[in-house]
Amino acid sequence: MSTVVDQQDIKREKILEAAYQRFLHYGYSKTTMNEIAGDLSLSKALLYYYFPDKSQLYIAVMRKLAGEYIQNLESELNQANSLRDAFAAQVDIHHNFIVKNYNFFDFFRVNEQNLPDTIWEIIAEIRNSELTLLSAAIRIEEQKGHIKPVESPEQIVDLLIDALHGVRVSAVAHKKVMFPQKEHLEEIHTKRLLLLDIFIKGLMY
Amino acid sequence: MSTVVDQQDIKREKILEAAYQRFLHYGYSKTTMNEIAGDLSLSKALLYYYFPDKSQLYIAVMRKLAGEYIQNLESELNQANSLRDAFAAQVDIHHNFIVKNYNFFDFFRVNEQNLPDTIWEIIAEIRNSELTLLSAAIRIEEQKGHIKPVESPEQIVDLLIDALHGVRVSAVAHKKVMFPQKEHLEEIHTKRLLLLDIFIKGLMY
DNA sequence: AAACTGACTATTTAAACAAAATTATCAAAT
DNA sequence: ATTTGATAATTTTGTTTAAATAGTCAGTTT
């Protein structure tokens, strides 16, 4: 009965996985539907049976990654027992996510100006999850009396996430690029942890 | 004797001013050398007598703006009598600079990926001035005993400037652009001042 | 000699088109 | 319901040409 649906889901997953590998290694524009189909020994037409078009396939992969990211964040934040730990976990998970999928996001760097609405929705979803989870962490710390009650934890989290986003490589004169290069990511990570310390201290009594 | 040089400098200044107006209103690519020459009732060839090419002219204007910005920053920071005031002044001046010259920076948004080295040098120069001036402000505050001595004020300033850069409009889902739009600048400004407060408090005892 | 120009050349951009690559569709087969 | 080969539609790439603009230079003016 539901095995039909199961089978369909399994095939769908396989396509998503193959597509992910291609996108990760070669980026969106250098990946063809033929190649994805070839990797699975399927006809290209079948991909269109499961996904309406190439961009929807990419977005579906993206959505899956986002889901995993959020789930990961959720379980790690549950284990954190201080505000500092919670944010540090967020920074780490975010860092790993970017490092692991760096090439996958070629799509972003290329289309930069006009990303499809659906992508923005996924970004918003991730941001909202971060906002909700981290705001909760702030409220807990408030109740413990470690930090002074803030009128809007969401606002604070929003601000901190923005600030963390801003941290880039230090030598402006040497970077010459708007997007961080892969080799800079470690340096960025270190700086973010420092920012985090100062910021959280700024929230305390 | 030096009146010859003076005359030349005056003409050069006039060209810079006319070029600035054109670049400001129409952006780099929509401004022609003919138009700049026309505004001054000069021949285009004369522009090439004073400047080697169009991009060098643009860069010269840019350099002039940067110089004014730095001078402005320097005089304002001299008047500031707290770390908070100093940074607030920096944020304000930076904000006004961007708002006033928003269209001038079209060049940046278009060429984004590969800006000429000279531009990066100017950016680095600005950053270095900010670094030097604000680090001095930190050292003063240290001596006053208001904040705990930091091993490297430069590092702290660098971090804060990065963090301030990261502050963007809040509604990620609505923005849909990598570069902030003009209408968002006020919102960004407000958020930066809030970040500033928390950050500076995080530096204190 | 320094400042300047008109007329010229060189380069870049834009438009139009064709060819190739790739996306997307669909009738037919399993 | 799932899958495919053949085909259509679209996008990308490369080429040509014309127009716009950048850039040069011999020669004129101050």
Side-chain angles (χ1 to χ4, degrees), chain A residues 131 134-136 138-139 142 150-158:
Chain A
L131 222 57
L134 294 172
S135 298
I138 285 194
R139 290 214 174 75
E142 258 182 29
V150 173
E151 61 172 287
S152 163
E154 280 79 9
Q155 201 185 332
I156 299 296
V157 172
D158 185 59

Side-chain angles (χ1 to χ4, degrees), chain A residues 37-196:
Chain A
D39 290 346
L40 296 162
S41 306
L42 299 173
S43 75
K44 179 180 54 174
L46 190 63
L47 299 183
Y48 287 94
Y49 178 75
Y50 285 93
F51 298 93
D53 61 33
K54 187 184 175 184
S55 71
Q56 292 296 315
L57 173 55
Y58 180 86
I59 287 168
V61 176
M62 171 90 202
R63 205 188 302 280
K64 189 182 161 196
L65 289 180
E68 288 166 2
Y69 172 79
I70 290 171
Q71 213 174 329
N72 192 200
L73 196 65
E74 210 164 329
S75 76
E76 286 295 321
L77 289 199
N78 279 339
Q79 292 172 36
N81 44 22
S82 77
L83 189 57
R84 209 268 171 201
D85 280 5
F87 275 107
Q90 194 274 335
V91 170
D92 283 349
I93 292 168
H94 184 264
H95 176 249
N96 291 334
F97 182 65
I98 297 295
V99 169
K100 184 179 175 195
N101 299 302
Y102 189 81
N103 290 319
F104 181 82
F105 297 119
D106 254 32
F107 186 78
F108 287 66
R109 287 181 283 270
V110 174
N111 293 39
E112 202 173 335
Q113 293 310 324
N114 46 300
L115 293 173
D117 287 3
T118 332
I119 293 275
W120 284 111
E121 280 163 24
I122 296 173
I123 293 175
E125 200 185 318
I126 290 178
R127 180 95 175 200
N128 281 337
S129 297
E130 291 175 335
L131 222 57
T132 307
L133 291 168
L134 294 172
S135 298
I138 285 194
R139 290 214 174 75
I140 290 171
E141 205 83 350
E142 258 182 29
Q143 279 159 8
K144 284 188 193 162
H146 295 160
I147 65 170
K148 58 170 163 247
V150 173
E151 61 172 287
S152 163
E154 280 79 9
Q155 201 185 332
I156 299 296
V157 172
D158 185 59
L159 183 63
L160 177 52
I161 293 178
D162 270 2
L164 290 171
H165 275 5
V167 175
R168 295 269 177 274
V169 281
S170 54
V172 185
H174 298 151
K175 70 177 187 180
K176 296 181 184 171
V177 278
M178 294 287 181
F179 278 103
Q181 303 301 98
K182 200 162 190 174
E183 56 268 29
H184 296 147
L185 294 178
E186 287 306 323
E187 188 184 344
I188 292 174
H189 188 222
T190 308
K191 288 181 75 176
R192 281 183 178 157
L193 292 177
L194 176 58
L195 172 58
L196 192 53

Side-chain angles (χ1 to χ4, degrees), chain B residues 1-165:
Chain B
M1 32 169 287
S2 73
T3 51
V4 173
V5 171
D6 284 353
Q7 280 303 103
Q8 210 173 22
D9 281 359
I10 288 168
K11 177 68 58 82
R12 227 186 101 96
E13 278 303 311
K14 285 202 162 137
I15 294 173
L16 286 176
E17 181 54 29
Y20 171 64
Q21 292 302 335
R22 281 281 170 184
F23 290 140
L24 186 61
H25 289 316
Y26 305 105
Y28 182 77
S29 65
K30 290 293 183 189
T31 296
T32 72
M33 295 298 265
N34 256 324
E35 288 165 345
I36 297 172
D39 290 346
L40 296 162
S41 305
L42 300 174
S43 74
K44 178 178 58 171
L46 191 62
L47 298 184
Y48 287 94
Y49 179 75
Y50 285 92
F51 298 93
D53 61 34
K54 186 183 177 185
S55 72
Q56 293 294 318
L57 174 55
Y58 180 85
I59 287 168
V61 176
M62 171 90 203
R63 206 187 301 280
K64 190 182 161 196
L65 289 180
E68 289 167 2
Y69 172 78
I70 290 171
Q71 214 173 329
N72 193 200
L73 197 64
E74 212 164 327
S75 75
E76 286 294 322
L77 290 200
N78 279 339
Q79 293 173 36
N81 44 21
S82 78
L83 189 57
R84 209 266 169 203
D85 279 3
F87 275 107
Q90 193 275 336
V91 171
D92 281 350
I93 292 169
H94 184 266
H95 176 250
N96 291 334
F97 183 65
I98 297 294
V99 169
K100 184 179 175 196
N101 299 302
Y102 190 81
N103 290 321
F104 181 84
F105 298 118
D106 254 33
F107 186 79
F108 287 66
R109 286 180 284 271
V110 173
N111 293 38
E112 203 174 334
Q113 293 309 326
N114 45 301
L115 292 174
D117 287 3
T118 330
I119 293 275
W120 284 110
E121 281 162 25
I122 297 173
I123 293 175
E125 201 184 317
I126 291 178
R127 180 94 172 202
N128 282 335
S129 298
E130 290 175 334
L131 223 56
T132 307
L133 291 168
L134 294 171
S135 298
I138 285 194
R139 291 213 172 76
I140 290 172
E141 205 82 351
E142 259 181 31
Q143 281 160 5
K144 283 190 196 162
H146 294 159
I147 65 170
K148 58 171 166 247
V150 174
E151 58 171 291
S152 164
E154 280 79 10
Q155 201 184 334
I156 298 297
V157 172
D158 186 59
L159 182 63
L160 177 52
I161 293 177
D162 271 1
L164 291 171
H165 275 5

